[in-house]
Amino acid sequence: MTFLALAEPPVFPPLPAPSEPLSPEGLEAALREVGATRYHNLHPFHKLLHSGKLNRDQVRAWALNRYCYQSAIPRKDAALMSRCDDRELRREWLHRITDHDGFEGDTGGIERWLVLTDGLGLDRDYVVSKEGALPATKFAVEAYVRFVADHSLLEAVASSLTELFAPGIHAERISGMLANYDFINERVVAYFRRRLDQAPKDADFALDYVKKNARTVAEQRAVIRALTFKTEVLWAQLDALYFAYVEPGWPAPGAWRPGIALVEAG
């Protein structure tokens, strides 16, 4: 199999670091610059995944590890709400939990992700146990949950702003995976199609909140750092996947390996 070869690593520009207060529009531009230069759509593993250059086992490894992140989102949002005295913010944030956990007639995003892993032939109980996830995946995900629990409410909200860039990566993922993998179908990409509608609404609210409440240089630097941290959480997960399942191909002790926990794809 031929993998994406990078002759040399790309050079990423410095992050925005305002020395005087930015206008709301200027702050938005700075936050969008973080996404343009740090979001994980730039990662080599992402490019391999969406261009059809991974085999089925490598896609399985990605989906299994990514479940750790998907399943932690409601915990992260509950941690944010537990420290929030603003009733309107709690009301708005609440649906993020039900979007993932499900509510009434909607099975939720976590269930839709498990439909993806089911479709890839992974045993559902094994996926949910997270037993086969890479240590770096677990550490990165828990670091995000702790960041939201321990930092200011403003920083916690700002860390969610990777959703500004999510619709683009979801659209690319849907088209690329459907076009390039015969084991991917519409049923298993349902998670991404739903997020095309959900993510922009969530991002618009969070961006408006940050622009209204980050007024000082210190606050604006903090929200830029918070969003940068979140991009690093996502990037670190792909670093671990590339190392374990692409090059050099060294999964950690106890991590999933091809042939483990496979069932007939549903």
Side-chain angles (χ1 to χ4, degrees):
M1 173 173 287
T2 301
F3 296 112
L4 179 68
L6 298 178
E8 58 184 45
V11 177
F12 297 107
L15 290 165
S19 57
E20 56 186 49
L22 299 170
S23 67
E25 296 73 22
L27 177 58
E28 178 177 347
L31 292 166
R32 290 188 181 277
E33 180 66 14
V34 174
T37 60
R38 296 295 193 275
Y39 196 49
H40 65 297
N41 65 316
L42 301 172
H43 196 284
F45 190 93
H46 165 83
K47 295 179 184 295
L48 292 171
L49 176 66
H50 290 199
S51 61
K53 292 188 172 71
L54 298 182
N55 62 39
R56 188 182 301 220
D57 281 330
Q58 290 165 326
V59 177
R60 285 168 171 155
W62 164 75
L64 183 151
N65 276 269
R66 178 79 181 196
Y67 174 79
C68 291
Y69 174 76
Q70 303 301 144
S71 65
I73 292 173
R75 292 196 292 118
K76 176 269 297 185
D77 289 324
L80 185 152
M81 290 178 62
S82 73
R83 300 182 299 110
C84 179
D85 290 327
D86 184 337
R87 184 172 62 168
E88 293 307 313
L89 178 57
R90 289 200 305 271
R91 282 175 171 173
E92 175 60 34
W93 217 264
L94 177 62
H95 77 84
R96 292 171 179 253
I97 296 177
T98 55
D99 282 349
H100 282 82
D101 278 340
F103 184 70
E104 295 182 341
D106 181 10
T107 57
I110 292 174
E111 176 63 24
R112 283 187 285 275
W113 195 269
L114 289 168
V115 170
L116 167 62
T117 57
D118 289 347
L120 290 170
L122 288 163
D123 179 77
R124 180 176 283 220
D125 289 341
Y126 181 78
V127 173
V128 171
S129 75
K130 307 174 194 172
E131 178 184 339
L134 295 165
T137 299
K138 298 173 185 176
F139 288 142
V141 169
E142 290 308 311
Y144 181 36
V145 175
R146 291 313 316 165
F147 181 95
V148 170
D150 295 343
H151 284 70
S152 71
L153 187 62
L154 182 58
E155 290 168 288
V157 172
S159 70
S160 76
L161 285 173
T162 48
E163 289 173 329
L164 287 169
F165 324 116
I169 205 171
H170 290 325
E172 183 181 346
R173 189 167 287 158
I174 292 167
S175 61
M177 294 182 76
L178 286 173
N180 291 302
Y181 300 111
D182 60 8
F183 52 86
I184 297 292
N185 56 43
E186 279 290 345
R187 182 169 180 266
V188 302
V189 298
Y191 173 86
F192 310 115
R193 289 211 182 277
R194 188 62 176 271
R195 290 302 294 166
L196 288 174
D197 295 326
Q198 292 174 338
K201 296 175 185 177
D202 292 344
D204 287 346
F205 176 84
L207 179 61
D208 185 63
Y209 181 91
V210 169
K211 287 164 65 176
K212 286 179 178 177
N213 290 280
R215 300 189 182 95
T216 68
V217 170
E219 289 168 339
Q220 292 179 350
R221 286 191 170 211
V223 298
I224 291 169
R225 286 195 301 268
L227 178 55
T228 302
F229 169 79
K230 175 63 178 303
T231 65
E232 291 170 347
V233 166
L234 297 170
W235 194 279
Q237 292 176 66
L238 295 190
D239 275 350
L241 283 164
Y242 194 97
F243 183 88
Y245 299 107
V246 179
E247 180 64 38
W250 293 349
W256 182 82
R257 282 171 168 75
I260 292 177
L262 298 185
V263 296
E264 184 178 349

